[in-house]
Amino acid sequence: MDRLCGSGELGSKFWDSNLTVYTNTPDLTPCFQNSLLAWVPCIYLWAALPCYLFYLRHHRLGYIVLSCLSRLKTALGVLLWCISWVDLFYSFHGLVHGSSPAPVFFITPLLVGITMLLATLLIQYERLRGVRSSGVLIIFWLLCVICAIIPFRSKILLALAEGKILDPFRFTTFYIYFALVLCAFILSCFQEKPPLFSPENLDTNPCPEASAGFFSRLSFWWFTKLAILGYRRPLEDSDLWSLSEEDCSHKVVQRLLEAWQKQQTQASGPQTAALEPKIAGEDEVLLKARPKTKKPSFLRALVRTFTSSLLMGACFKLIQDLLSFINPQLLSILIRFISDPTAPTWWGFLLAGLMFVSSTMQTLILHQHYHCIFVMALRIRTAIIGVIYRKALTITNSVKREYTVGEMVNLMSVDAQRFMDVSPFINLLWSAPLQVILAIYFLWQILGPSALAGVAVIVLLIPLNGAVSMKMKTYQVQQMKFKDSRIKLMSEILNGIKVLKLYAWEPTFLEQVEGIRQSELQLLRKGAYLQAISTFIWVCTPFMVTLITLGVYVCVDKNNVLDAEKAFVSLSLFNILKIPLNLLPQLISGMTQTSVSLKRIQDFLNQDELDPQCVERKTISPGRAITIHNGTFSWSKDLPPTLHSLNIQIPKGALVAVVGPVGCGKSSLVSALLGEMEKLEGAVSVKGSVAYVPQQAWIQNCTLQENVLFGQPMNPKRYQQALETCALLADLDVLPGGDQTEIGEKGINLSGGQRQRVSLARAVYSDANIFLLDDPLSAVDSHVAKHIFDQVIGPEGVLAGKTRVLVTHGISFLPQTDFIIVLADGQITEMGHYSELLQHDGSFANFLRNYAPDENQEANEGVLQHANEEVLLLEDTLSTHTDLTDTEPAIYEVRKQFMREMSSLSSEGEGQNRPVLKRYTSSLEKEVPATQTKETGALIKEEIAETGNVKLSVYWDYAKSVGLCTTLFICLLYAGQNAVAIGANVWLSAWTNDVEEHGQQNNTSVRLGVYATLGILQGLLVMLSAFTMVVGAIQAARLLHTALLHNQIRAPQSFFDTTPSGRILNRFSKDIYVIDEVLAPTILMLFNSFYTSISTIVVIVASTPLFCVVVLPLAVFYGFVQRFYVATSRQLKRLESVSRSPIFSHFSETVTGTSVIRAYGRVQDFKVLSDAKVDSNQKTTYPYIASNRWLGVHVEFVGNCVVLFSALFAVIGRNSLNPGLVGLSVSYALQVTLSLNWMIRTLSDLESNIIAVERVKEYSKTETEAPWVLESNRAPEGWPRSGVVEFRNYSVRYRPGLELVLKNLTLHVQGGEKVGIVGRTGAGKSSMTLCLFRILEAAEGEIFIDGLNVAHIGLHDLRSQLTIIPQDPILFSGTLRMNLDPFGRYSDEDIWRTLELSHLSAFVSSQPTGLDFQCSEGGDNLSVGQRQLVCLARALLRKSRVLVLDEATAAIDLETDDLIQGTIRTQFEDCTVLTIAHRLNTIMDYNRVLVLDKGVVAEFDSPVNLIAAGGIFYGMAKDAGLA
């Protein structure tokens, strides 16, 4: 280098220590200034160029128009290039004219000139690629300015010293160069306009990050505006920024899907060749190959998708790790400086400045790393949710049985979140070993081989921690299983809550949930104790390492003296070592949890999918719409076939009926046509678009209109026709918002019939080619069924000319069908036209003879309209089955006679001209919203995000749950632990200042002993506090869950009607998870960081009292940041939790309706819908991530100031301080940054997470029903004996402030009397029965049963003595015995007897497990008819004196219907029976009929008298063809 500078005016020295270091006015040699100092910016730019060009090539953001700013920047670049060339030519000029300039005068201008030209070209290239603010060039110009400041000062000092300017030309060009570089730097800080065609131009509220400048991005200043807004008022959804394109779900999910599909293809690759070539679909290849091959790896797919983010994060982390080792070296020099009184003072100031710069660089880079990683984590979660959603749309039915909705929701909520939680720690896998190696290397430099003693301790502790973490993993897996089963059970309880209340079964289910919770908490407790031991190990590790290292160092050799430099530099290195070691347990537990989640997700994604090729959609024999050739189908590959050897050919435009007894495979046939079943052999072809109406209507949680349109564009004419033909217009008048009424989850505010008709209207509107109708007429009244058949399905209906496959039990429609398929035991027994089948004289003909109307009846016996009479007689006959008593046929005759009498009565009267369209269904849910929200039609209340501060009462609630003494004890333990830690370090400081005698320290053993004692004491206190916290946290988790569970089970029915189950489940899953596993560690971390920060301030103030001056301003700034941050982040977190629920609600809704979604071909739309919900959740999460970074940068700035001032004041007071104190104070300051940041973060996390307690408490304090049992007022033994029911002046309303639903109802029902209850929609029929069970409580008046006022006894005393057979048959997953007798009160004989009576014994005894037959969730593995029979069996088992029937035989074939009616008549002969009649013929032989109209008793008498009276009932009977 000296040679480069040559001789002459530079003097050939490159470096001169006397000029630069050992002086009070330091300067650099001219040679150094003109060579290396001038080259630094150039070297940087050329080094960064390849990576930057690669980045620009792959990130095109548009094109920026040439602006004034761009022209100015370019002009400055050209001028700088010119200046450099002028310098170069000046040197050549000197060479020509005889002087010999040093080589550096040729090299530097040439290098600088070319670099300036490169910078100018870069400015233009960036403009073409749409870069608005260039970080690379800003750093370049900044380096140019910094490197020019030293010559700037030197040249002025030299000119002043010499009294003249030695080289005027170069002096002038340098100052012009400096001015231009400074201008270029300032201009580069300004931003260009947005590129043309960028999305920002279209976006209403774009994220400011995209347009932020380099410094703004570096310091996250772009977030400040939102922080201020959040501080001023609570944030709302409209304040949040739109997502950038690359964060949107559809982009992210697509990338992961492609990677996953690649994995699947690779995994199945080797097998494909071996398979026979005839297999059509790729999916089938995958399925067949699966058992033999390795499974595709979901982890690999994730890594492939997010490689770039991972690498970028890793680069930032690497730089930050290397920077973190600079400060200990600077501390070492600072202590030497304090020890050396002769050292120049500027050294100290320079060191303090360098420490500050190094810390600040660390801060900025660390937060860039975190931002990169957290955004990646958010994308990972989004991608996983999207992939699971898409998979759920394609899984087979057998997989659906394995995974309940609750389990799939858990995969989405908990397991996807685990990936998000572990991502920030992922770089520790390589970063921790790197930091450990570097720390050991530097320690070796200071302490020599003694450092290895510390390393040995670390190595020995790793297997111990490994064992602990392995054990924790096993607990984790078990705990997840318990959690799944608890959520699954809760989900079922919420779905069937009405049934639980009506049967008074809550206690048994409460017990089940508490049993699972107990096991879950035991595992949680064990896991938490292990976590405490793990914490103890890691807190003690750094101290043990320090103690053993220093101990070995002073004991090995008497001449080893422990001075301040060795002790405190070692200590700060050990503190660096402590960070990766402290985070390791989190990494390990996070990794163990994530590996469990990874396996669960991978298993789910590897499940079988429906084969899209199973149904041929393209080709079909001419003139046919549907063909099945030799088809055999099963619900799962390992189950026996449900349907076998089917051969069906359905011509285009035909109406085909499918009939057969319960469980013969009618619904399965429809599923087979939809491709929902496993096709074992044969071929199925379906040509054209399909509309599907399932047996149980699937209704979305959106408006009625949206349910009908189902994603198709609005066509008013077709829409009106769909509503009209499906008899929905009358309902729209009743619904509060007409067709804009919001339908609750699962159609909760519609009656069964309305749900079915909405489902049918959806099919009609879809205008498909083929209609698959799975028993749509069963849920509606007979006259409505006839209307729908005539107007929609039949030969004259709107669907005439379309192909229709109708599964039905109503044989009155059969003569009008083109042909009939008769199924029995999964096979087609007969097929043909109605008349052919009658002549054929097979089983179908026999069946018809028993049930069809009298063939010879004359047509002009006219008042009984033909079709209605068929339905009437079919549904009304008593079966002549042999297992009934001998008197049955006689009764049958009597009833026929009664019907004839009725028909001869006068048919005139007010009811004559009424339209057929009358609805007689009703239900509680239906009536609720009608009076509830007249204006808007919205039923489900929006989930409100709380605003403002979390109330102190919430913390107080949690503290009480933990136990006040426990809370106080934990605080004291932490204070003690930190006091001991300070004591140990002060002791160390005193030790380093011990006077040396003959190069040795004397009382080493005492010093070491006391130091060790203090350390061990600290460890014990840590462990004690961790254990205490565990005990308190588990107690709180138990109490809060118990309170929530007990309150929810006791909540009134109206609460469940207006609250989506997803919202309640969210409390039981996510919020309880937070209370179980997140709150306690957060509180511990808060205590840790709080006490560390306090002890740092105490130590620094004690060492350098001058520090008090800056404590106040720093604390004020810190407080400001904290307030801005907490207000904003808390609200963002709340918005996030509110926007999370809809994702899971939508998902569980989708899972239950997959068959409908697939049938209509709406899969893509639903993916888009789900993505939109995830994106709106991401919109709240992204600013939350940014807020943490914004906080980090600002708070760590405070920490860096603490470092700066503690070093600065040490330099100022160097004469009065000893090196030990300076070492103590600065080493403490170096670690304060982290604890200050963690303190606000954990405080905010605590606020965010304590919201879980707030939310759980909110649902633990909702209004509850009356007590279950009143000990002071129990019902007498054997009550009710006769079953006399009396309403006295009874009125009821749904909620205070609403209109009365029943008004002054007064009636008396004798014991054993059979009463039918009829009335139009909204008349209050269901309300009346619900009042009997006190689901609704009286506004005034009383109900007496056997003279006992039901309001005076406990709900369970009342409900357990009444029996209801509800309209919707609900079963719970568990054994059949549990579903019949959850309390285990009855013997097996009793149960078998009731099964016999309810005609289920044949089915149950055919099951290998008998009474222990496992019902799946919602009883999905039984047909609807069988479920209805189970409900009948429940009623028979109870055999109470009062039976309420919400006419429940709609979903059953006629034969079974007859059996049930017969059973009810014989078995409940002496009971009081109240029947809500949807079909009048079932109650025509009752003692009396009660007609309700608008909540009052309109008529109450025997059917014959009522018809004779010609009132409302007569009108109804006439409409139904019974009068």
Side-chain angles (χ1 to χ4, degrees), residues 1249-1361:
N1249 289 320
I1250 205 91
I1251 291 171
V1253 176
E1254 185 177 31
R1255 284 157 59 90
V1256 165
K1257 274 286 180 189
E1258 177 199 353
Y1259 274 29
S1260 305
K1261 289 175 179 167
T1262 52
E1263 183 196 349
T1264 54
E1265 299 181 298
W1268 285 347
V1269 175
L1270 281 168
E1271 287 302 339
S1272 58
N1273 216 350
R1274 296 298 297 260
E1277 194 67 37
W1279 172 88
R1281 293 190 187 282
S1282 52
V1284 178
V1285 177
E1286 191 183 352
F1287 283 75
R1288 289 187 196 164
N1289 203 20
Y1290 190 85
S1291 303
V1292 72
R1293 55 170 57 93
Y1294 282 111
R1295 274 196 302 288
L1298 296 181
E1299 293 170 27
L1300 293 171
V1301 191
L1302 295 177
K1303 301 161 195 154
N1304 301 330
L1305 203 64
T1306 302
L1307 61 109
H1308 190 284
V1309 179
Q1310 296 298 341
E1313 202 175 0
K1314 311 288 178 281
V1315 175
I1317 304 171
V1318 295
R1320 293 184 170 74
T1321 297
K1325 303 186 298 291
S1326 290
S1327 314
M1328 185 175 152
T1329 55
L1330 294 172
C1331 294
L1332 208 54
F1333 286 86
R1334 283 178 62 194
I1335 298 280
L1336 296 176
E1337 295 284 8
E1340 57 180 298
E1342 293 111 4
I1343 298 176
F1344 289 87
I1345 297 180
D1346 276 7
L1348 182 68
N1349 188 338
V1350 296
H1352 293 167
I1353 56 171
L1355 291 180
H1356 279 191
D1357 279 353
L1358 169 65
R1359 291 171 185 171
S1360 59
Q1361 298 308 319

Side-chain angles (χ1 to χ4, degrees), residues 972-1236:
L972 291 173
L973 283 172
Y974 261 96
Q977 166 197 327
N978 276 277
V980 171
I982 292 176
N985 285 326
V986 169
W987 184 260
L988 185 64
S989 165
W991 180 2
T992 58
N993 293 329
D994 273 356
V995 184
E996 294 174 34
E997 291 174 15
H998 318 300
Q1000 296 176 355
Q1001 285 170 323
N1002 289 330
N1003 48 359
T1004 307
S1005 51
V1006 177
R1007 290 289 191 191
L1008 197 59
V1010 173
Y1011 189 58
T1013 312
L1014 289 169
I1016 291 164
L1017 184 59
Q1018 183 193 356
L1020 288 172
L1021 289 171
V1022 169
M1023 191 159 170
L1024 197 56
S1025 54
F1027 272 121
T1028 317
M1029 190 71 222
V1030 170
V1031 173
I1034 299 286
Q1035 179 179 324
R1038 184 172 53 76
L1039 291 174
L1040 289 168
H1041 179 269
T1042 307
L1044 175 67
L1045 178 65
H1046 281 260
N1047 187 282
Q1048 285 303 294
I1049 290 267
R1050 286 178 163 84
Q1053 182 62 37
S1054 57
F1055 174 78
F1056 297 101
D1057 294 341
T1058 55
T1059 311
S1061 57
R1063 202 177 289 171
I1064 304 173
L1065 267 185
N1066 212 346
R1067 303 292 192 278
F1068 279 99
S1069 56
K1070 180 75 185 176
D1071 294 325
I1072 288 291
Y1073 158 75
V1074 167
I1075 290 168
D1076 284 354
E1077 300 181 44
V1078 180
L1079 269 184
T1082 309
I1083 291 169
L1084 286 183
M1085 278 160 86
L1086 177 64
F1087 278 153
N1088 237 330
S1089 46
F1090 173 70
Y1091 282 110
T1092 311
S1093 309
I1094 293 296
S1095 43
T1096 304
I1097 303 299
V1098 167
V1099 167
I1100 298 175
V1101 169
S1103 314
T1104 47
L1106 195 54
F1107 188 76
C1108 291
V1109 178
V1110 293
V1111 167
L1112 196 64
L1114 285 179
V1116 168
F1117 178 71
Y1118 183 76
F1120 260 111
V1121 171
Q1122 189 260 353
R1123 286 181 65 183
F1124 275 96
Y1125 167 76
V1126 169
T1128 307
S1129 97
R1130 177 182 56 226
Q1131 197 55 23
L1132 285 171
K1133 191 80 175 172
R1134 279 177 172 156
L1135 287 172
E1136 191 275 328
S1137 62
V1138 169
S1139 67
R1140 195 188 320 119
S1141 302
I1143 298 175
F1144 308 132
S1145 291
H1146 174 69
F1147 179 55
S1148 53
E1149 187 174 85
T1150 305
V1151 172
T1152 48
T1154 40
S1155 52
V1156 178
I1157 294 167
R1158 283 195 288 257
Y1160 283 94
R1162 291 278 329 273
V1163 171
Q1164 196 48 45
D1165 300 356
F1166 270 75
K1167 288 177 187 171
V1168 171
L1169 205 58
S1170 171
D1171 286 350
K1173 289 186 188 303
V1174 175
D1175 283 347
S1176 75
N1177 178 249
Q1178 283 202 86
K1179 262 176 68 175
T1180 56
T1181 317
Y1182 193 86
Y1184 180 69
I1185 290 172
S1187 70
N1188 285 335
R1189 305 284 65 83
W1190 177 85
L1191 165 84
V1193 169
H1194 289 77
V1195 164
E1196 289 187 22
F1197 174 72
V1198 174
N1200 299 336
C1201 289
V1202 171
V1203 173
L1204 172 70
F1205 289 120
S1206 68
L1208 207 57
F1209 294 147
V1211 173
I1212 291 169
R1214 63 193 278 208
N1215 302 326
S1216 60
L1217 290 174
N1218 58 44
L1221 273 179
V1222 172
L1224 178 68
S1225 137
V1226 177
S1227 65
Y1228 256 101
L1230 284 176
Q1231 55 174 332
V1232 77
T1233 313
L1234 195 68
S1235 56
L1236 282 177

Side-chain angles (χ1 to χ4, degrees), residues 826-1123:
Q827 286 176 305
I828 295 175
T829 54
E830 294 174 274
M831 190 156 54
H833 188 266
Y834 182 75
S835 51
E836 284 172 36
L837 292 181
L838 277 181
Q839 289 158 13
H840 187 258
D841 210 21
S843 56
F844 179 69
N846 287 332
F847 174 72
L848 278 185
R849 275 197 202 94
N850 285 343
Y851 290 97
D854 210 332
E855 291 290 320
N856 309 323
Q857 199 163 5
E858 292 167 33
N860 62 0
E861 198 180 330
V863 191
L864 286 175
Q865 296 156 1
H866 177 59
N868 271 329
E869 186 207 359
E870 287 180 33
V871 180
L872 152 76
L873 288 174
L874 287 168
E875 294 178 349
D876 227 19
T877 43
L878 277 170
S879 170
T880 49
H881 266 260
T882 47
D883 58 353
L884 295 177
T885 55
D886 297 336
T887 57
E888 288 306 322
I891 296 175
Y892 179 59
E893 284 308 314
V894 171
R895 287 187 55 209
K896 263 196 164 173
Q897 185 57 40
F898 167 75
M899 289 315 303
R900 293 217 167 86
E901 270 173 54
M902 293 309 312
S903 65
S904 63
L905 282 169
S906 159
S907 62
E908 292 160 19
E910 52 173 66
Q912 215 164 10
N913 300 320
R914 287 203 190 97
V916 177
L917 256 189
K918 293 280 192 305
R919 297 279 299 121
Y920 305 125
T921 62
S922 170
S923 77
L924 158 67
E925 295 92 324
K926 168 69 187 57
E927 291 158 18
V928 174
T931 42
Q932 178 180 333
T933 50
K934 272 285 180 246
E935 301 307 312
T936 60
L939 164 83
I940 302 297
K941 301 189 207 89
E942 277 295 317
E943 184 162 12
I944 306 297
E946 296 274 342
T947 53
N949 284 329
V950 177
K951 297 182 198 74
L952 278 175
S953 61
V954 179
Y955 293 102
W956 182 244
D957 279 337
Y958 188 69
K960 280 196 293 195
S961 305
V962 170
L964 295 177
C965 298
T966 317
T967 313
L968 191 64
F969 189 50
I970 294 167
C971 295
L972 291 173
L973 283 172
Y974 261 96
Q977 166 197 327
N978 276 277
V980 171
I982 292 176
N985 285 326
V986 169
W987 184 260
L988 185 64
S989 165
W991 180 2
T992 58
N993 293 329
D994 273 356
V995 184
E996 294 174 34
E997 291 174 15
H998 318 300
Q1000 296 176 355
Q1001 285 170 323
N1002 289 330
N1003 48 359
T1004 307
S1005 51
V1006 177
R1007 290 289 191 191
L1008 197 59
V1010 173
Y1011 189 58
T1013 312
L1014 289 169
I1016 291 164
L1017 184 59
Q1018 183 193 356
L1020 288 172
L1021 289 171
V1022 169
M1023 191 159 170
L1024 197 56
S1025 54
F1027 272 121
T1028 317
M1029 190 71 222
V1030 170
V1031 173
I1034 299 286
Q1035 179 179 324
R1038 184 172 53 76
L1039 291 174
L1040 289 168
H1041 179 269
T1042 307
L1044 175 67
L1045 178 65
H1046 281 260
N1047 187 282
Q1048 285 303 294
I1049 290 267
R1050 286 178 163 84
Q1053 182 62 37
S1054 57
F1055 174 78
F1056 297 101
D1057 294 341
T1058 55
T1059 311
S1061 57
R1063 202 177 289 171
I1064 304 173
L1065 267 185
N1066 212 346
R1067 303 292 192 278
F1068 279 99
S1069 56
K1070 180 75 185 176
D1071 294 325
I1072 288 291
Y1073 158 75
V1074 167
I1075 290 168
D1076 284 354
E1077 300 181 44
V1078 180
L1079 269 184
T1082 309
I1083 291 169
L1084 286 183
M1085 278 160 86
L1086 177 64
F1087 278 153
N1088 237 330
S1089 46
F1090 173 70
Y1091 282 110
T1092 311
S1093 309
I1094 293 296
S1095 43
T1096 304
I1097 303 299
V1098 167
V1099 167
I1100 298 175
V1101 169
S1103 314
T1104 47
L1106 195 54
F1107 188 76
C1108 291
V1109 178
V1110 293
V1111 167
L1112 196 64
L1114 285 179
V1116 168
F1117 178 71
Y1118 183 76
F1120 260 111
V1121 171
Q1122 189 260 353
R1123 286 181 65 183

Side-chain angles (χ1 to χ4, degrees), residues 704 719 723 728-741:
L704 189 135
Y719 176 65
L723 294 182
L728 278 166
L729 291 176
D731 301 296
L732 294 188
D733 300 339
V734 183
L735 290 169
D739 66 354
Q740 294 306 313
T741 304

Side-chain angles (χ1 to χ4, degrees), residues 256 259 298-307 380 384 419 598:
L256 180 58
F298 187 59
L299 184 62
R300 263 195 215 128
L302 278 173
V303 171
R304 287 233 169 107
T305 311
F306 300 104
T307 312
I380 288 178
I384 290 174
F419 278 89
L598 178 71

Side-chain angles (χ1 to χ4, degrees), residues 639-672:
L639 289 174
T642 313
L643 300 169
H644 25 115
S645 319
L646 299 186
N647 282 296
I648 299 175
Q649 293 209 331
I650 299 177
K652 273 189 187 156
L655 167 55
V656 180
V658 181
V659 296
V662 169
C664 69
K666 299 186 294 295
S667 297
S668 301
L669 174 62
V670 176
S671 296

